[in-house]
Amino acid sequence: MASRIEWGSVPTWVGALSFFVGALSFVGGQQDKRREHASKVGAWIADGIGEHKGKYFIVVTNAGTVPTFEIKVKDAESGETLLELPELLGTVRKEVKKNGQSWHPVKKEITVFEPQHGVISVKIVVGEPAVCLELRDALGREWEIDENRRIKRVKRRKGAVLSFRRGGKVGAT
């Protein structure tokens, strides 16, 4: 007598597949919910206007309803910290200082030869100045936001870590 494997019915398989898709959707929704706070924080470099024309400012904004902590705004190219804020709820605007000097975007001169009008020389700003962020949300989770607005959770070890070595000695690393 040969044994047969019972594979179930079509409704059973459809139900199992629906449950699996629902579980994946729930997990994805939970991840989006965790990122929600970090997604409401942004930073950029803006031109000064009026009496501040010719200067550049870092604008950092938290559009959420709870504060964000330990914010670091960094130059995306060099990694240099341009601004640190202990706490933010709302918007802050401060002049950009890079290496202790007032920051200015890199301008490149381009020479164009036009047969009818001769040579034309133009100075343009090459690319927008990019910044990235590090921050801690109200629940203590740490996040990094890169210059393309990709949000990544950062897990850092805090404090001393004890390690045990042979011979009964204890050391801190």
Side-chain angles (χ1 to χ4, degrees):
M1 182 165 24
S3 67
R4 285 184 47 171
I5 299 174
E6 189 64 41
W7 289 99
S9 64
V10 171
T12 304
W13 278 97
V14 169
L17 184 59
S18 297
F19 175 77
F20 182 70
V21 169
L24 284 177
S25 181
F26 175 76
V27 169
Q30 292 300 311
Q31 288 176 342
D32 289 345
K33 202 173 204 179
R34 280 187 230 121
R35 289 173 181 248
E36 182 181 4
H37 183 80
S39 71
K40 292 182 179 180
V41 179
W44 61 92
I45 295 179
D47 294 338
I49 55 174
E51 65 187 51
H52 300 290
K53 193 165 178 73
K55 294 181 180 179
Y56 295 89
F57 294 84
I58 294 178
V59 180
V60 187
T61 189
N62 175 1
T65 56
V66 293
T68 301
F69 304 95
E70 299 171 10
I71 300 134
K72 285 185 185 177
V73 182
K74 296 183 172 190
D75 181 352
E77 193 173 300
S78 69
E80 178 186 349
T81 300
L82 300 172
L83 177 67
E84 289 187 60
L85 300 168
E87 183 177 340
L88 177 66
L89 182 59
T91 301
V92 168
R93 179 182 161 104
K94 294 207 175 191
E95 187 177 354
V96 180
K97 297 286 185 181
K98 189 173 177 183
N99 296 321
Q101 303 294 319
S102 187
W103 183 89
H104 295 283
V106 176
K107 291 187 178 180
K108 196 168 199 168
E109 190 167 334
I110 295 178
T111 304
V112 179
F113 177 73
E114 204 174 287
Q116 294 174 337
H117 302 291
V119 176
I120 300 171
S121 185
V122 180
K123 282 191 178 181
I124 61 169
V125 175
V126 180
E128 285 291 314
V131 294
C132 49
L133 290 164
E134 292 179 3
L135 58 100
R136 185 172 55 81
D137 68 17
L139 295 175
R141 297 176 295 219
E142 295 185 17
W143 301 92
E144 286 181 354
I145 304 173
D146 70 11
E147 64 272 15
N148 297 315
R149 291 290 304 152
R150 288 184 295 237
I151 302 169
K152 181 174 97 175
R153 175 105 185 257
V154 180
K155 294 182 181 178
R156 294 193 174 100
R157 293 189 304 179
K158 300 223 181 218
V161 176
L162 292 177
S163 63
F164 296 91
R165 304 191 199 293
R166 289 185 186 207
K169 294 181 182 177
V170 176
T173 58

